[in-house]
Amino acid sequence: MDFIDYYKTLGVEKKATTDVIKKAYRKLARKYHPDLNPNDKESERKFKEINEAHEVLSHPENRKKYDEYGKDWKHADEFTKQRQQQSQGRTQSQSQGGQSYSESDFSDFFESMFGGAGGRRSSGSVQYKGQDFNAELHLKLKDVYESQKQVLTVNGGNIRLTIPAGVQDGQVIKIPGKGGKGMNGGPNGDLFIRFAVENNTLFQREGDNLYRNIDLDVYTAILGGYITTDTFDGKVKLKIAAGTDNGAKVKLKGKGFPVYKKDGQFGDLILTLQLQTPKNLTEEEKNLFEQLKKIQKS
């Protein structure tokens, strides 16, 4: 396997912070996402490399191993263990007058065990799980109001995915066995998909509940009556009690967002009523308000 410079892949410096790496990854992932570049093999390849680079560099421990061992970072723990054993053996041999070992001996051992530029491997290699992959799926809030099916392209293969209604922004799901191929007969890695849910609606989402401010004219607030307003999936008619205050809240049970993986269960919709002061009054209207004012003072 050729060495890939993950820092170069993401276009960041080796000393880049985790936030810088994450920002660079998101920008490139959007640019090369297969859904935006259908049937573009080069974009698929770039998207794969970007995800691999992010999986390594966004994880502090993996990044440290990568900085030290390069493409063989996944075997760093095994190499360190074997190196310690070699070192102990060397110390024991030296104390008994045996042969000493140089640093190159450790490198040769590492090459023979895990494979190097020449592709050498020992016949009794240990099995290793494949690399886990990370991907980010961008959706609109309306997209996750109902369950839906999508086909994702990952590493040149199509994955049929059912996205349950109620998925949260930032939520991560795991798809076993859809990561990198295992080594020496080991199991495949897993695919982790993070959902980036954009809210481009008039509603604010907090958990399974929805919130929205709606305007209420002063006449209906004083006298009471009915108004029609939008919910996430249609319109409803609300009864307004006479003398309603500005900022009063109305809860509509079951009119919120679907509860994740609980069919038929929904959160609530909480509406905040905001009184609107009438503007551009006619002279007749002003006179009527003056009369009301006098009545209130009498």
Side-chain angles (χ1 to χ4, degrees):
M1 181 175 64
D2 296 333
F3 174 72
I4 300 176
D5 188 336
Y6 288 144
Y7 291 101
K8 185 176 180 180
T9 298
L10 295 181
V12 298
E13 298 181 357
K14 193 170 182 179
K15 61 182 180 180
T17 64
T18 302
D19 287 340
V20 170
I21 289 172
K22 186 175 182 180
K23 184 176 180 181
Y25 162 72
R26 287 187 171 182
K27 180 179 179 181
L28 292 172
R30 285 193 292 267
K31 180 178 179 180
Y32 292 105
H33 197 285
D35 291 346
L36 301 179
N37 301 275
N39 302 319
D40 187 335
K41 296 298 182 183
E42 179 62 19
S43 291
E44 284 187 18
R45 184 186 67 79
K46 290 286 292 183
F47 188 71
K48 176 183 175 182
E49 289 184 358
I50 291 164
N51 277 288
E52 290 178 355
H54 179 256
E55 193 275 337
V56 176
L57 299 185
S58 64
H59 191 291
E61 185 177 347
N62 289 346
R63 182 178 180 180
K64 181 179 179 181
K65 293 177 182 178
Y66 172 77
D67 288 341
E68 184 173 357
Y69 296 105
K71 68 182 179 64
D72 294 307
W73 67 271
K74 289 188 292 184
H75 309 300
D77 293 339
E78 289 82 2
F79 177 51
T80 300
K81 180 180 179 180
Q82 293 296 335
R83 187 172 183 176
Q84 290 173 346
Q85 292 176 353
Q86 288 278 18
S87 178
Q88 292 172 357
R90 177 182 61 178
T91 301
Q92 182 178 5
S93 177
Q94 287 177 335
S95 66
Q96 297 174 354
Q99 182 181 0
S100 63
Y101 296 90
S102 66
E103 185 68 25
S104 62
D105 294 320
F106 298 132
S107 299
D108 290 340
F109 172 79
F110 188 50
E111 292 291 334
S112 66
M113 184 170 183
F114 300 121
R120 294 175 293 177
R121 293 186 182 275
S122 65
S123 59
S125 295
V126 180
Q127 295 181 339
Y128 295 101
K129 179 182 177 182
Q131 181 179 356
D132 290 337
F133 290 155
N134 292 277
E136 191 169 73
L137 181 59
H138 292 258
L139 299 166
K140 304 292 186 184
L141 188 61
K142 289 185 176 180
D143 295 333
V144 294
Y145 188 75
E146 296 180 346
S147 296
Q148 60 168 292
K149 297 182 182 295
Q150 284 202 15
V151 178
L152 306 181
T153 302
V154 179
N155 295 329
N158 292 331
I159 298 176
R160 298 183 181 276
L161 176 67
T162 298
I163 304 174
V167 164
Q168 298 278 351
D169 178 47
Q171 184 172 342
V172 178
I173 64 171
K174 171 184 171 182
I175 303 181
K178 294 300 182 179
K181 291 190 175 298
M183 295 182 63
N184 303 325
N188 290 347
D190 303 318
L191 171 63
F192 293 88
I193 299 179
R194 179 186 182 277
F195 293 97
V197 182
E198 178 187 357
N199 185 357
N200 58 347
T201 72
L202 297 175
F203 299 88
Q204 179 182 350
R205 182 186 183 189
E206 293 183 13
D208 302 318
N209 292 333
L210 294 175
Y211 297 81
R212 186 188 173 193
N213 297 332
I214 60 173
D215 295 338
L216 179 66
D217 66 88
V218 68
Y219 310 107
T220 305
I222 295 172
L223 302 175
Y226 291 88
I227 62 171
T228 300
T229 189
D230 292 316
T231 66
F232 205 85
D233 63 346
K235 294 181 179 294
V236 295
K237 192 173 185 180
L238 295 179
K239 182 178 181 179
I240 305 298
T244 295
D245 293 326
N246 180 48
K249 298 183 184 299
V250 177
K251 178 189 289 188
L252 301 181
K253 291 189 67 65
K255 284 296 183 178
F257 221 70
V259 180
Y260 181 68
K261 286 192 173 181
K262 292 186 178 180
D263 292 341
Q265 294 189 32
F266 291 79
D268 302 325
L269 171 60
I270 293 87
L271 302 173
T272 301
L273 305 178
Q274 296 184 324
L275 268 61
Q276 300 300 302
T277 304
K279 305 288 194 302
N280 303 317
L281 296 175
T282 65
E283 287 300 321
E284 182 179 1
E285 289 172 326
K286 290 179 181 178
N287 289 333
L288 289 173
F289 274 107
E290 286 292 342
Q291 293 179 38
L292 287 172
K293 183 179 179 181
K294 293 177 180 178
I295 294 173
Q296 286 290 321
K297 289 183 177 180
S298 61

